[in-house]
Amino acid sequence: MIIFALFVFVGLIKSAVGQLNASTLLTAEGWDPVSSMTTILETCLALRDDSLDKAETLKEEAYRAKDEAYAIREKGLEARSALETTLVETLDLIKTQAISTNLNLQEIKTSLSSMAARLETLEQRLEEMEEREEKLEIGGGELIPAARVAQSTTLRQSGLPESHWGPEKAIDGNLVTYSHTVCSHHPHWFRYYFSGKRSVGRIKLVNGKLDQRKTRLNGAVVSVMVNDEGHRAACRLNTITVREGDSFQAQTYYLDCTGNSGIGVEVLLDRDGTCLEIRDIAVYAP
């Protein structure tokens, strides 16, 4: 700053000398060199004082600018510190919430696992109860497996395999599938053959339809096939009367053929304008 002031001072001296009209000094009558030098010196001193004042003013402005810069820097540091504190607190809060959320998720997961285990146990108990109930219904006899099955006709539909509604669907253990005859051809029959001659107890049959079409099965008659020559033995409880209800349980029927022996059983539906549809069939020994 002092060097800058000296440069300004030298410049002012040059300016003062330039302002003096040399021709006036040389041509003035009674020119006094001492007086002229005194005038020059006074002008220089006045210019010096003016330069010093301006330099002082510039110095004060520089100090003010410096103080303002320091103040801005301090505010920036304070803002940075506050921001860092806020970030740290926010991260701590997020971490705490994440830990809490993880604990809650673990608790939920544990609860769901416990519920799943309880549901599995309940399902097992229900299956056991259903098995016991079924044994009570059928008299506790063992299942007579089907060596083969057949039906009078099989419904065909474009885009579906030939076996889609075949007689095997009634013994596949899948309650979603069912056998289906052609509705325009009657009488309709379904035959369940044993591997040899067996004594027959009860027969379990699940209706192929669970909606308003469930009445198609109404009037179906079950008999024991005594031999291959067409001899049939009537069962004690042999006719299906369709009940109300659209559940599997409501549309499950038990027929009693106890006291008969044969090579298989036959379900006959001799009605026009209907179809024979069986979702599941099983034959049990006495």
Side-chain angles (χ1 to χ4, degrees):
M1 187 63 70
I2 295 173
I3 295 173
F4 174 74
L6 290 174
F7 275 114
V8 172
F9 179 68
V10 171
L12 290 174
I13 292 175
K14 290 180 180 181
S15 176
V17 173
Q19 289 177 5
L20 293 175
N21 193 332
S23 61
T24 302
L25 294 173
L26 294 174
T27 58
E29 186 176 346
W31 175 68
D32 185 358
V34 175
S35 177
S36 298
M37 291 301 296
T38 301
T39 301
I40 291 172
L41 182 60
E42 290 176 350
T43 302
C44 288
L45 291 174
L47 291 173
R48 183 200 67 179
D49 292 339
D50 183 59
S51 297
L52 289 174
D53 290 340
K54 290 182 178 179
E56 188 66 26
T57 301
L58 290 174
K59 181 179 179 182
E60 291 177 356
E61 290 180 353
Y63 278 123
R64 281 198 300 270
K66 182 179 180 181
D67 292 339
E68 291 176 357
Y70 276 120
I72 292 172
R73 181 174 179 272
E74 289 296 327
K75 289 182 179 179
L77 291 174
E78 291 176 0
R80 178 184 175 184
S81 177
L83 179 59
E84 289 178 349
T85 302
T86 302
L87 287 175
V88 170
E89 292 175 351
T90 303
L91 289 173
D92 289 340
L93 179 60
I94 292 173
K95 182 179 179 180
T96 302
Q97 291 178 345
I99 293 173
S100 176
T101 301
N102 187 50
L103 291 175
N104 290 335
L105 289 175
Q106 290 294 333
E107 292 176 358
I108 293 172
K109 183 178 179 180
T110 302
S111 298
L112 289 176
S113 298
S114 177
M115 290 176 63
R118 292 179 181 177
L119 285 174
E120 185 176 355
T121 302
L122 180 59
E123 288 177 355
Q124 291 176 353
R125 291 179 179 176
L126 287 174
E127 288 178 359
E128 292 173 359
M129 290 176 64
E130 288 177 355
E131 288 177 0
R132 286 197 295 268
E133 183 180 353
E134 186 171 305
K135 287 181 179 179
L136 289 173
E137 290 282 353
I138 64 176
E142 65 174 351
L143 174 68
I144 304 175
R148 64 186 179 92
V149 289
Q151 62 186 8
S152 54
T153 58
T154 298
L155 182 66
R156 303 284 193 275
Q157 183 174 336
S158 177
L160 294 176
E162 184 176 347
S163 61
H164 185 75
W165 281 301
E168 296 81 8
K169 299 301 180 181
I171 60 168
D172 61 2
N174 185 354
L175 290 178
V176 175
T177 62
Y178 54 92
S179 64
H180 197 313
T181 62
V182 179
C183 299
S184 59
H185 294 70
H186 77 286
H188 308 276
W189 52 259
F190 181 96
R191 292 170 184 168
Y192 184 113
Y193 291 93
F194 309 145
S195 59
K197 193 168 185 179
R198 296 288 302 269
S199 296
V200 181
R202 291 195 174 187
I203 299 169
K204 173 188 173 184
L205 190 148
V206 181
N207 196 340
K209 294 297 184 183
L210 302 177
D211 52 17
Q212 68 273 13
R213 294 171 291 178
K214 58 183 174 286
T215 55
R216 289 177 175 178
L217 188 62
N218 200 45
V221 176
V222 178
S223 61
V224 175
M225 298 184 294
V226 178
N227 52 44
D228 289 328
E229 284 75 31
H231 183 205
R232 304 288 185 264
C235 298
R236 294 191 296 179
L237 179 60
N238 64 346
T239 304
I240 295 176
T241 302
V242 174
R243 297 187 293 265
E244 294 295 328
D246 297 336
S247 65
F248 288 122
Q249 184 177 2
Q251 291 305 313
T252 298
Y253 300 90
Y254 293 91
L255 303 118
D256 188 3
C257 295
T258 305
N260 292 309
S261 298
I263 61 172
V265 296
E266 179 184 68
V267 181
L268 178 66
L269 184 60
D270 193 6
R271 280 197 299 119
D272 191 12
T274 188
C275 315
L276 180 57
E277 297 156 292
I278 300 175
R279 195 171 293 269
D280 185 65
I281 185 171
V283 181
Y284 296 89

